[in-house]
Amino acid sequence: MKIIVTGGAGFIGSNFIFYMFKEHKNYQIVCIDKLTYAGNLSTLKPLSNNVNFKFIRADITDRNLIYQIFESEKPDVIVNFAAESHVDRSIENPSIFLNSNIIGTSVLMDACRKFGGIRFHQVSTDEVYGDLPLNQPDLLFTEDTPIHANSPYSCSKASADLLVMAYHRTYSLPTTISRCSNNYGPYQFPEKLIPLMIVNALQDKMLPVYGQGVNVRDWLYVEDHCKAIDLIIHKGKIGEIYNIGGHNEMKNIDIVKLICFYLKKPESLIEYVTDRKGHDLRYAINPEKIYSTLGWFPETTFSDGIQRTIQWYLDNGKWWKEILSGDYRKITEI
Ligand code: NAD
Ligand code: DAU
């Protein structure tokens, strides 16, 4: 089996590549990544001597290059992680999100059509469903919840999902889509809530909490997400959408306080700052479908996962300090 993993120098994509080599030692994986600010090639360094792994720097919107890569690599499966992924950046500058997240997805699917016989998996997000109220805890997102995206980021992901469904219906492209809740774990870029708070706390810097910190996210350890995608590309039904989430809803402020507790840092570092524009209140996934049809369930409790994540950032200061200094961007090959 040969898999092209796009966006594999980012957070979830790199964890997915490591997971797949652990589970399927003989698979071949080609990672395509543009190496935007969010891509960090030092993450993939442990694979530099693996003959079953190849890294190609490419932009998924570059049609000619993507076609060339598909022609020479002849993949069986594409797993598309490549995307601009940070909501705050999408609020500042939507256009790059539209280009990478929508046009990029269509170029990859066109390549699948051109070369034929290639299964396409789109890594999407629960944010396509919009948000849920804070005062109705029984309401959860199912796969039938209407799309109601609110930020430029989530609109770009929702648009890509619609295109994936259209390519399946119109061209019979063998597609699947997964919509996952918030991930956390090793190698997450320190602009997202959990790694930002850990890295700031370790430097005794302020911890900026948007609004009152009451917004709720449904947190999943990244390896559990990887396991779900592995199941979907092997056993998922073509044309289907699968929600992935761990029934682990938490308020932002509680997470930040927990990080202070584990790092033995004072809560006085917490600073309430101006809220995110259009800030989604609550996300919560109903994962019943993937549980009942594919037998997936999250294995890592939040208590274990957050302690492992904090320990990882403590043990891997070099990784995040190279990001803070900008040195990571000098690494362009492994
Ligand atoms: P990330 O920002 O850490 O990584 C994205 C990677 O994609 C980077 O390596 C970047 O260089 C690459 N990339 C961006 N634009 C590209 C382009 N045009 N061509 C090639 N490569 C490009 O993101 P992440 O958090 O790992 O998220 C991965 C995917 O999972 C995204 O599609 C995101 O929407 C989705 N997702 C993320 C979460 C989460 O909590 N982080 C949850 C659900 C779904
Ligand atoms: O739900 C899945 C989504 O989760 C993914 O599709 C996105 O790619 C991913 O970035 C994430 O989106 P969020 O906006 O939920 O994640 P973020 O880490 O940016 O923020 C989590 C919550 O914490 C959110 O309510 C905003 C808040 N926040 C975030 C930052 C960066 C703060 O209060 N302070 C901060 O500094």
Side-chain angles (χ1 to χ4, degrees):
M1 163 94 84
K2 188 185 254 193
I3 306 178
I4 286 185
V5 174
T6 69
F11 165 46
I12 311 175
S14 59
N15 276 280
F16 179 73
I17 293 171
F18 293 133
Y19 179 85
M20 291 302 279
F21 277 129
K22 186 158 61 88
E23 296 298 313
H24 312 278
K25 293 208 169 29
N26 299 323
Y27 279 19
Q28 289 175 283
I29 297 182
V30 177
C31 170
I32 295 180
D33 199 296
K34 180 181 174 182
L35 297 183
T36 68
Y37 80 92
N40 186 345
L41 212 40
S42 79
T43 302
L44 298 172
K45 195 90 184 146
L47 297 173
S48 54
N49 292 322
N50 184 331
V51 291
N52 288 328
F53 178 72
K54 185 191 278 187
F55 175 80
I56 302 173
R57 186 172 192 175
D59 185 330
I60 58 167
T61 67
D62 184 339
R63 189 174 290 275
N64 290 337
L65 184 52
I66 292 298
Y67 284 6
Q68 275 172 34
I69 294 170
F70 273 58
E71 187 167 25
S72 60
E73 296 299 335
K74 302 182 176 41
D76 302 297
V77 178
I78 312 302
V79 182
N80 183 27
F81 292 93
E84 291 293 333
S85 70
H86 193 36
V87 174
D88 292 327
R89 288 179 189 254
S90 83
I91 293 167
E92 291 305 313
N93 178 14
S95 66
I96 187 172
F97 284 71
L98 309 187
N99 206 34
S100 287
N101 300 4
I102 308 173
I103 304 298
T105 301
S106 73
V107 167
L108 291 170
M109 291 194 295
D110 285 340
C112 290
R113 287 173 55 215
K114 184 173 165 69
F115 295 100
I118 306 172
R119 184 172 178 139
F120 181 85
H121 181 72
Q122 174 72 355
V123 180
S124 186
T125 166
D126 59 357
E127 295 197 17
V128 301
Y129 299 122
D131 62 353
L132 296 164
L134 292 174
N135 60 358
Q136 284 176 269
D138 293 347
L139 276 185
L140 305 173
F141 296 135
T142 72
E143 289 79 1
D144 296 326
T145 303
I147 288 199
H148 195 296
N150 293 321
S151 72
Y153 161 72
S154 53
C155 286
S156 70
K157 294 295 289 186
S159 306
D161 283 12
L162 292 174
L163 268 180
V164 174
M165 290 186 269
Y167 273 57
H168 172 64
R169 163 115 184 199
T170 311
Y171 308 113
S172 301
L173 193 73
T175 62
T176 43
I177 297 174
S178 53
R179 292 178 177 154
C180 190
S181 59
N182 286 61
N183 284 215
Y184 68 100
Y187 301 111
Q188 188 168 26
F189 197 86
E191 65 179 350
K192 306 284 169 64
L193 181 75
I194 289 181
L196 179 72
M197 296 300 155
I198 297 172
V199 162
N200 276 11
L202 286 173
Q203 301 172 95
D204 296 309
K205 286 190 177 165
M206 298 308 283
L207 309 176
V209 170
Y210 299 164
Q212 298 303 306
V214 294
N215 301 61
V216 170
R217 298 293 184 264
D218 183 357
W219 294 93
L220 184 72
Y221 193 63
V222 63
E223 196 172 62
D224 281 320
H225 186 184
C226 297
K227 183 181 148 204
I229 295 173
D230 184 20
L231 270 174
I232 294 168
I233 62 176
H234 287 97
K235 297 187 183 149
K237 195 169 162 210
I238 294 299
E240 293 287 312
I241 296 169
Y242 294 91
N243 280 357
I244 307 170
H247 283 304
N248 182 53
E249 291 179 55
M250 293 187 69
K251 280 186 203 159
N252 296 337
I253 187 65
D254 293 338
I255 295 210
V256 178
K257 286 182 176 171
L258 201 62
I259 290 170
C260 289
F261 171 78
Y262 283 127
L263 287 175
K264 298 187 174 57
K265 297 290 180 180
E267 288 183 8
S268 56
L269 287 177
I270 295 172
E271 183 179 30
Y272 294 93
V273 300
T274 310
D275 210 351
R276 174 184 280 174
K277 288 191 180 88
H279 198 171
D280 279 344
L281 292 173
R282 171 178 165 246
Y283 305 141
I285 281 281
N286 178 346
E288 177 55 32
K289 176 175 172 179
I290 189 167
Y291 173 67
S292 60
T293 58
L294 302 182
W296 177 88
F297 59 91
E299 287 175 25
T300 308
T301 63
F302 189 74
S303 169
D304 275 0
I306 192 72
Q307 290 185 68
R308 271 155 71 176
T309 303
I310 290 172
Q311 194 58 49
W312 188 87
Y313 282 87
L314 282 167
D315 294 342
N316 290 275
K318 184 172 182 296
W319 185 86
W320 57 262
K321 282 176 189 159
E322 278 179 358
I323 291 179
L324 299 188
S325 69
D327 283 350
Y328 76 113
R329 301 216 68 181
K330 294 180 191 150
I331 309 164
T332 50
E333 52 189 53
I334 48 169

